[in-house]
Amino acid sequence: MGKPMKIRARAAGELVEVKVLMAHPMESGRRKDAAGELIPAHYIRTVEATCAERVVLTAQWGTAISANPFLGFKFKGGAKGDKVRITWVDSEGDSRSDETTVV
Amino acid sequence: MKRLVVTGLVCAMSAAAVGADDDSGLGKQVEQVLRHSFTTATPAEWKTRLDQDEVQALCSLHHNSPPAAVSERIAKLSSATMRYPEDGKLSGDWKKGEKLASLGTGGHIGKIQPDRPGVRRGGNCYACHVLAPDEIDAGNIGPSLAGYGRRFANSPATARIVYEKIWNAQAFLPCTQMPRFGANGWLTPQEVADTVAFLLDPESPVNR
Amino acid sequence: MTNTAGVIAAFVAAGWLTPGEARAAEWNKAAFAVKDMDELIALLGGEPATPSDAIVFDAPDIAENGAVVPLALKSGVPGTETIAIIVEKNPTVLAAMFTIPPDTLPEIMTRVKMAESCNVYALIRAGGRNLFAVRAIKVTLGGCGG
Amino acid sequence: MKRRSSDAIAVPIRGGIVATICAGILLGGAVSALGEDVDPLNGIQKYRDMLKDDNPAELSEMSGEALWTTPRGPRQATLEACDLGLGPGVIEGAYARLPRWFPDVARVQDIESRLVTCMTTLQGMTAEQATKDWTNPGSDLENLVTYVAGKSLGVPIDVPALHPREAELAAIGEVLFFRRAGPLDFACATCHSQDGRRIRLQDLPNFLDPESARGSMTTWPAYRVSQSAVWTMERRLIDCIRQMRQPEPEFGSELLIALQVWLQKQANGGAMAAPGMKR
């Protein structure tokens, strides 16, 4: 289980704007630790965003997304009070799912 | 040579002034704080990393703005440190100097993030100086040295002054921020000569 | 630690995902191994990529650190289905691919790693067409030395 | 952003004969037209603007809040009764008034050392347990410091150093700021005593100038994009000292407290804006 995400979902007119920060090291597999040993790759591979059970974004990521990833996007058809849920699965099969209420 | 004038200046610096702060309560308190804060430093680390030599102590005491007599003392001590490459060539290989100028590694100790074994010591000149004009990520603690070689005749006399300035800049400008690269043993005489070439050689990117 | 399939199955069981949605979140291993944009298009299909003014690609010209380079991509191409980010000189060039459902705006903000100064491409796929915008981003070196 | 052309002689020397002579032969003293027109700072500013919001340090604040309110340690107690100087459990505004004298331990503590005191006295941890792996990205201690600092948002730094020991440490901190040592002759003052200076493209605060000192001290702890981690001020100082090629001072040591008392004193009045985001 990863650490909690920080999700903001704000309704503005007909749009809902979503901003997400995810706690993840996004290790590329090419960095070395202090002892000179390679740190194994460990990164988020897929992200899915839903609003009221409807998929509003899917993403596939490689090792080049920055550590503690940030994602911002906008969708139509949402409203205040809806639940926005973000789910990620990483290269080790670990995952995390958090939700927030659209304000 | 003007440097000889500097070297020849009589210095009236008194020993008492050197340690003025050490005799006060504050100096003792600082010493105590250092002893309590670096309890795992080895005797060798104290000697080379924490204890001050006379020049460091004087510059610290005077907040890097020493009065005239102290400036003279520092310049005299610093001029006495000059050493030159065995082959006598004060301008070496600019390509090697170029590498040293952008290399910032070496000399890091401690447990959290020490250098890996075998890491080279660099001059890290770009941290403080503009050198090759097209290298945009250059610092400004020191003056811009872009086009430096074009300001002077590329003569042995020029090379000597540049060499000495890199070896120990305090001989010219007491309490300058610039490290005493040669005098402190950070760069070898050959490395200093290579850096001189990087600054002065017409083919060097500094002067193109 | 569970495997990906197991996790997705768990989400399905928990009612978070429908089986169709779980497939949409599959990871295209071959795409993340390509060496340039052409190879990616050969893999994904469609016409060769052409530049497009309809793509607004906002990024700094200079990145203070290559570990975090902020990007904002906005496609004005009708029917945009996919937005991909390609960092030309990274060891593997594809950084991310976003699938845009019809009611989602073709606009993405994210942050990528850059191994060195190079071109970064925003590739838009819309109805078999491949369109791109490109930005040259300079990665600067850091301060005190390692 | 303040910016000067890079032509000034590095250190002003007052009226020395040597200095006068040397200025005449100083090879680096002349202004160079070349290099002056290269102004990458506008480009960097755009980079910083695009990273202004959505600071990953917010994740540390969330973790820190959970650590503050979750029963932990042998006594299974929370930190909610921790006295950070404004009374047990008062967290708002506490960071802006640290380091300060704490009568219960009879010494001046910064936020890290105070948190360790609370973790040992309230939660029953040993100091070793409380500080375990604290320099690792996302450590408990860094998350706690980030959470506490965030609770001083907008509060002016107020470290007058009036207690006798605080005043002593401020004076010691100033001496340490100027104390040159090691193979590169560095002191804090080497990089941080002039306006408008940069190491490569990184702006350097001038801690002799209150406005510049405020700009720095109000924005730590900060998420460092080069480290993918939040760093506290102690961590920042330890790494400055490492970069000066001196040995690492010990965690919570008087040297680190003294420097922080002096730095905070220089920055008094600056409204806290932590956690920041930096290179």
Side-chain angles (χ1 to χ4, degrees), chain A residues 21-35:
Chain A
L21 283 164
M22 308 173 197
H24 201 283
M26 297 300 286
E27 283 294 350
S28 66
R30 286 180 292 273
R31 276 190 344 126
K32 287 180 179 173
D33 64 16

Side-chain angles (χ1 to χ4, degrees), chain B residues 37 39 49-50 52 56 60 64 104 106 108 111-113 127 138 140 143 148 150 165 172 176-177 180 184, chain D residues 6 10-11 13 22 26-28 34 179-180 182-183 185 194 196 198 200 242-243 245 247-248 250 255:
Chain B
S37 299
T39 55
R49 308 272 184 160
L50 288 168
Q52 296 176 302
Q56 289 171 336
S60 305
N64 301 314
H108 298 98
K111 292 186 286 289
I112 300 174
Q113 213 182 336
N140 69 353
Y148 191 72
R150 282 188 274 140
K165 193 138 191 259
F172 301 88
T176 173
Q177 292 116 312
R180 296 170 291 177
N184 286 356
Chain D
S6 49
V11 173
I13 306 284
C22 293
L26 232 197
L27 292 162
L34 282 163
R179 188 180 188 279
R180 300 179 74 162
D185 301 318
Q194 290 175 285
R198 305 187 319 265
R200 288 206 181 246
R242 180 186 75 92
Q243 295 285 22
R245 273 65 172 187
E248 275 157 18
E250 273 154 50
L255 175 136

